[in-house]
Amino acid sequence: MNLLRSLSVGSLFVFSAAQVSAECTTKNEALDLNVGDVVSAELLNDILSRIQGVTTGISADYLNGTWSCTSFNKNRTGTLVNGYTVDGDGLGSSVAQDVVFAKQSNGNFIVTYDYNLGQNFTATGANTCNGKLLDGGQFSQSSTGVSGQNCYNEGVYPIKMISSQCFQWSVTN
């Protein structure tokens, strides 16, 4: 499993409650089938496992690792902080950062990232959160157990597979 995954944040619109949605993808190669290609059992198993990932939810082993993340925010006015810059189309701002989900021996995660997800108008420090995957469909994170660290995105957030290489994570700031 790739440890470096690319995160393309789908629709990170920050409203007054700062609702954030992130879409994550790995750098696995896309399948390229052409007319006349023979489909082996190995390839068919790969296709079926990609489909199964969508229907069964995220597993802790799949989530474990470093994800390269781009967060989008609708706010593009005023002084932008936390690494955000105005997008070229003028419709918002974005920042790229790594998000690390480090699985612990008890099955929980330590989640670290440089900037508060979705926060581009108030400067914040780096985030270290204690997190837990709930039934493969939600991710709970808090500052519990990470004393002396900041966790600005505490709460329980929906997390769902979009494909075997992609998940969406909604966060309220």
Side-chain angles (χ1 to χ4, degrees):
M1 179 176 302
N2 292 335
L3 287 181
L4 181 61
R5 300 173 180 145
S6 119
L7 169 80
S8 166
V9 179
S11 51
L12 286 183
F13 297 106
V14 177
F15 302 99
S16 60
Q19 183 70 25
V20 178
S21 177
E23 192 172 296
C24 308
T25 60
T26 64
K27 290 188 175 184
N28 290 349
E29 293 182 29
L31 296 176
D32 183 23
L33 298 176
N34 298 299
V35 175
D37 286 352
V38 175
V39 178
S40 67
E42 179 181 8
L43 180 58
L44 187 56
N45 283 333
D46 182 47
I47 293 169
L48 293 174
S49 71
R50 290 178 188 212
I51 294 169
Q52 183 180 14
V54 177
T55 60
T56 60
I58 271 183
S59 72
D61 288 335
Y62 178 78
L63 190 58
N64 188 39
T66 300
W67 297 78
S68 178
C69 167
T70 301
S71 300
F72 296 95
N73 188 307
K74 74 172 186 146
N75 183 22
R76 58 175 166 57
T77 60
T79 302
L80 299 177
V81 295
N82 296 334
Y84 279 85
T85 58
V86 175
D87 289 338
D89 59 12
L91 295 176
S93 59
S94 60
V95 62
Q97 65 179 324
D98 284 344
V99 177
V100 178
F101 291 85
K103 186 177 169 189
Q104 306 301 295
S105 60
N106 65 358
N108 289 351
F109 290 88
I110 298 296
V111 184
T112 57
Y113 45 96
D114 290 335
Y115 303 118
N116 184 336
L117 298 173
Q119 180 64 275
N120 68 357
F121 53 90
T122 301
T124 60
N127 288 260
T128 300
C129 303
N130 190 7
K132 181 177 183 177
L133 190 61
L134 307 171
D135 298 325
Q138 293 188 321
F139 192 83
S140 172
Q141 69 179 25
S142 73
S143 57
T144 303
V146 288
S147 62
Q149 303 293 324
N150 294 314
C151 180
Y152 293 102
N153 303 113
E154 294 186 85
V156 177
Y157 311 117
I159 189 168
K160 68 177 182 177
M161 298 294 294
I162 294 174
S163 73
S164 69
Q165 303 167 12
C166 186
F167 70 82
Q168 184 175 31
W169 185 27
S170 297
V171 176
T172 302
N173 184 13

